[in-house]
Each structure stands twice: as structure tokens, then as C-alpha cells.
Amino acid sequence: MAKQYRVAVCGATGAVGNQMIQCLEERDFPIGELRLLASERSRGKTLAYKGSQVPVQVLDENGFKGIDVALFSAGGSTSEKYAPVAAASGAVVVDNSSAWRMDPAVPLVVPEVNPHHIAQYKNKGIIANPNCSTIQMVVVLKPIHDLARIERVVVSTYQAVSGTGQKAIVELQEQMRAWAAGQPLVNKVYPHQIAFNLIPHIDVFRDNGYTKEEMKMVLETQKIMDDPTIKVSATCVRVPVVYGHSEALNIATAKKITPDQVRATLAKAPGVKVVDDPASKLYPMPLDAAGQDLTLAGRIREDISQERGIDMWISADNIRKGAATNAVQIAEVLIRDYL
Ligand code: A2P
């Protein structure tokens, strides 16, 4: 019988954790034991996996005994504290938070882009899953970089509320219902109303005027692509969409390339689907990206304002490819090549 692994999902009751369980099931990850971990608030809960109900356990120092692979999505402070605990007890951690991403000893991986970095898991027993907006962007940038060397990217994001977690999905739904009923709209998760609004503020502001989310897109892209010379400037915006992040990308390349070349390159690229037929009103949209794992790329055109530039628009499911699927794909390479 093929080898089976003991897998923990830490933060199992959250938006990403739940999707991780679904991805493990869909992709038939070889699981011998599935351990679901969450906070005290989830004591007594069970979650469905392959037709049975698995009890949720309260996370503590002993939670990772005997575990081979631990998928974390329970927030930065939980990862900071418990990822080393899990690693010390012999598990390899795939961490969805930002806690470990920029640690030089921790690989930051998108399997379509830099699977070879996974070997560095041996340093600390931790592999970091990048930011959701970064993941979908680098899946598209890597093949273009290989073709024409990217010098600079200007990106604006349109990020769904599910990226903030389950509570933000509820906040948007409640605001929509309150609006329809003519009642006052309440905001607790976001600093402003999100229904019928856009909030150009994701994560905290830094001294340079960018937000931390925007700086993640800069630094993580350079680390994943192994190229600190790629310049990135990002504006990250929260939009009243439930699932699916979208991004407008303006890409400057060292070598001139045409939109047709970009379409042909992306059509062959792993993890990408070209959806680019404006005459038939076909272009990527979050509603179409949601519920599947490919990054949709379209509106591909030459930038009329510069010599060697390409504009495009991409959408991907932020909870799947932007988080859970990417983490499970990392785990698949890990068990195939290393464990
Ligand atoms: P719980 O549901 O018990 O609070 P989301 O990102 O959708 O808000 O989900 C966050 C996930 O992280 C949930 O599964 C949540 O569990 C879990 N979590 C948050 N804080 C902790 C903690 N201190 N210890 C363990 N799990 C936590």
C-alpha cells in the first residue's frame, strides 16, 4: 500500500482551514490520520472529511505529536508560537500566515514557480505559503519573466473579503441585508463599510506610505522568483466581493514581446488559463475564478504608454490557489520528493 501521512490542519474551522480539508479530500492526499486543531471556541465541534465527522481538538503544545505534515492557517501569532513546536515534534509545517515568509531560512513556495525551494524545509521544518495576491501574480509573471525578463510591475489589486476570514464574509452579508432592509450598516471587521464601497487599506500602514500587504507583494515576489532586481509597486484594495481576488498588472520587460506571444506563453504555463476574447465578452472575473484552482488571465494588450510593456487583468480564487490549494500542492511535492 502507498505510504500514508498523518496530517494536521491548524485553524481547521476558519475559511482557509476548511478549504484545506476540502482540498485534501478532493486531491485524495494520502492521509492515515487527519487531526483538526482550532481554538477553545471550537471545543466540541466536528468537521466533515470523506463522509465522516472529525472532531476538532483544542490546540496545545502536544497537538502535533506523531504528525508528519501540519498545515497552518490560524493567524500570524499562532504560527509564530506553534510552527516551531510542530517542527520540533517532527512535523513539516506549511504555514499560510505571514509570520515566517521573509525568514531567509524558510522557503516561500508556489509550486508552479519555485518547487526546488521546498528542499530548504530542512532548515527549520517550516515552508511558508505566500500572500494570496502574490501567489496568483507570480504564477503569471514567472513564464513572462523566463520569456522576456521582467524589469518592473505596477499592480493594483481588487481583493475579496474572504481573505480577511469568515467573519468578514459575514460582515459583508449582514451589511447587504441591512441595506436591503433599510437598517443601519454596522462595521466591526473593517474600519469602514465594505458593502457598496472600496477600501484602499489592507493590513497596517508602513512608514513609506505603502501598506504591509502592498510590501508583501514586493518582497515576496522577489524572494519567490529568486530575483531582487524585479521592481514592484502595489496598491491593494478591498472590494465587496466574497471569493476571488483580481489584479490589474502593468509589466515592463527587458525584451519586447507582443500580446500574442504572452497569450501563447501563458496558454502553456502550469496553473494558468487564458480567458481573453473581448469580442465575446470573455475576460477573467472573480465569479468565474471562484471554486477552481487556475489563475485566469485576460485583457492582454500592449501598453501604449511605454516601449516594452504589457497590460493584463487576472483573477483567481484567493481561498483556493491563494491559500489552501497552494499549501496542499506544496505538501504534495514535499511527500513526493522528500518524506
Ligand atoms: P476558532 O474557530 O476556534 O476561533 P479565519 O481566518 O476564518 O478567521 O479563521 C481563523 C482560524 O484560526 C480558525 O480556525 C480559528 O479557530 C483559528 N484560531 C484563531 N486563533 C487561534 C488560537 N489562538 N489557537 C488555535 N486556533 C486559533
Side-chain angles (χ1 to χ4, degrees), residues 171-186 193-197:
E171 178 151 308
L172 174 59
Q173 289 168 339
E174 285 181 351
Q175 288 180 1
M176 296 285 209
R177 274 197 215 100
W179 178 85
Q183 289 163 354
L185 277 62
V186 179
Q193 174 185 323
I194 184 66
F196 312 106
N197 199 13

Side-chain angles (χ1 to χ4, degrees), residues 10-16 37-43 45 59 73-75 78 82 164-167:
C10 179
T13 51
V16 172
L37 302 164
S39 80
E40 187 61 44
R41 291 179 289 273
S42 297
R43 188 182 286 281
K45 276 194 191 159
L59 173 64
S73 191
T78 303
Y82 285 99
T164 312
Q166 199 57 46
K167 56 199 179 305

